Amino acid sequence: MPGSQARCRARDRNNVLNRPEFLSLNQTHRNREQAGVGEGRGGTAPRRTVFRQHSQQEDSGLRGSRDSSEGGSAAEGGAKEASRWPEQDCMQLNPSFRGIAINSLLAIDISLSKRMGMCVRPHGPGAPLRSMVTLLALTGHALPWLCGTLICLWRSNTLAGQEVLINLLLALILDLMTVAGMQKLVKRRGPWDFPPGFLDYIAMDTYSFPAAHASRAIMVSKFLLNHLVLAVPLRILLYLWAFLVSMSRVLLGKHHLSDVGCGFALGFLHFNLVESVWLDSATCQTILSIGTLCWTPLV
């Protein structure tokens, strides 16, 4: 008898039907088995088997409720995680052709801009040209052009000259405010991510996109070529100056090539806008009278 009990217990443990999910299928088989064991062992065997069946049912119920609670909490946690993370942080397994093209162009732009930054470090490959490139970039800064225009306007005695200089001053202010606003909106860093200098803070040129020097150089060159009578060599030199000023910022590691291109387009836009709202001589004299606190028109 003891050997038969040990074999029955080992068979119960190894039987696959003892799992909670197969308990309903196993009840009829257990009832028959318990009846046969009870007949062979006497009156105490049915009580033990019934008590064992009840305990197994309670264990399976507790185990099922624990599993369901754990599954419910895991599902709630997964839902919370899914609601917490935005869609843009998820991996896109099938990106669009437009996204691939834009990312590729940006990568090429950054790589070329970093390679062209030869005058970034004092001991780099472009160290002998660093001082000259810095001086060339300074000629396209906003502060010299604003101060120079105000000095020329103060020393000017002709109505035509004052008209041209006031419109140039308004164009410089428009270019400065527009570029500064776009840079604050986009907040793109340069290819080498250097902190801006003191003059850059004065001109509000603290970010990379768009290039303020490129926009200003193109706008000023177009303005001077349209309102001054210059010889052909001077006209070529003026276009060359605008191009070199724009590229000097790339050589110094301040701007990307795409920033310079957008600066060119923005400079042309500013020039066309100023030409379309050109202020006549009477309006310019009124502005001068208000600015100098002299209410009599200048002659």
Side-chain angles (χ1 to χ4, degrees):
M1 288 297 284
S4 63
Q5 289 180 1
R7 285 194 298 271
C8 290
R9 290 174 183 173
R11 187 172 62 250
D12 290 337
R13 283 196 302 268
N14 297 329
N15 193 4
V16 180
L17 296 177
N18 287 328
R19 294 184 180 179
E21 55 266 25
F22 299 114
L23 188 62
S24 61
L25 299 176
N26 196 19
Q27 287 180 355
T28 56
H29 179 71
R30 281 184 179 276
N31 292 334
R32 293 175 184 174
E33 201 173 294
Q34 288 169 4
V37 174
E39 289 176 358
R41 292 177 57 188
T44 58
R47 296 178 185 175
R48 293 179 182 176
T49 54
V50 170
F51 179 74
R52 189 185 303 163
Q53 182 179 359
H54 284 299
S55 63
Q56 288 179 355
Q57 289 179 355
E58 291 177 359
D59 293 340
S60 63
L62 290 174
R63 203 174 299 160
S65 63
R66 193 182 305 131
D67 294 339
S68 63
S69 62
E70 291 178 357
S73 61
E76 291 177 359
K80 290 180 180 179
E81 290 290 333
S83 62
R84 188 176 66 181
W85 297 107
E87 294 182 358
Q88 55 266 25
D89 291 341
C90 302
M91 183 182 294
Q92 295 182 359
L93 299 179
N94 190 17
S96 61
F97 177 76
R98 180 182 178 184
I100 295 174
I102 292 175
N103 292 331
S104 301
L105 290 176
L106 288 177
I108 294 172
D109 180 30
I110 295 173
S111 178
L112 289 178
S113 302
K114 283 192 173 184
R115 289 184 180 181
M116 292 183 66
M118 298 182 296
C119 302
V120 174
R121 296 183 177 87
H123 303 289
L129 301 175
R130 180 179 171 83
S131 58
M132 185 177 65
V133 172
T134 304
L135 182 61
L136 184 61
L138 186 60
T139 59
H141 200 271
L143 190 61
W145 280 100
L146 289 173
C147 294
T149 305
L150 288 174
I151 292 172
C152 293
L153 184 60
W154 176 58
R155 295 178 64 91
S156 178
N157 295 322
T158 61
L159 296 178
Q162 292 172 359
E163 179 183 350
V164 172
L165 289 172
I166 286 179
N167 283 278
L168 177 60
L169 182 62
L170 294 178
L172 289 172
I173 295 174
L174 174 64
D175 181 80
L176 179 65
M177 301 305 294
T178 305
V179 173
M182 291 184 65
Q183 286 186 357
K184 290 291 185 181
L185 183 63
V186 178
K187 293 184 178 181
R188 186 186 187 187
R189 296 292 182 179
W192 295 92
D193 200 11
F194 285 146
F198 177 71
L199 293 178
D200 295 331
Y201 278 113
I202 292 177
M204 296 181 289
D205 189 13
T206 55
Y207 292 100
S208 176
F209 180 88
H213 286 66
S215 175
R216 189 175 303 112
I218 289 296
M219 189 267 297
V220 168
S221 61
K222 288 288 294 180
F223 191 93
L224 295 179
L225 289 173
N226 196 31
H227 295 283
L228 294 180
V229 179
L230 299 175
V232 175
L234 291 178
R235 299 174 72 90
I236 296 174
L237 286 177
L238 198 56
Y239 276 120
L240 185 61
W241 168 80
F243 176 76
L244 291 178
V245 165
S246 305
M247 296 307 298
S248 66
R249 300 287 288 177
V250 180
L251 295 176
L252 292 172
K254 298 292 185 179
H255 295 288
H256 300 86
L257 290 174
S258 58
D259 303 334
V260 174
C262 292
F264 285 160
L266 198 60
F268 278 108
L269 180 63
H270 289 160
F271 169 73
N272 293 326
L273 183 61
V274 170
E275 290 293 323
S276 62
V277 294
W278 184 266
L279 301 180
D280 56 0
S281 180
T283 307
C284 292
Q285 294 303 314
T286 304
I287 294 174
L288 278 177
S289 301
I290 295 173
T292 57
L293 299 179
C294 180
W295 300 100
T296 58
L298 296 178
V299 293

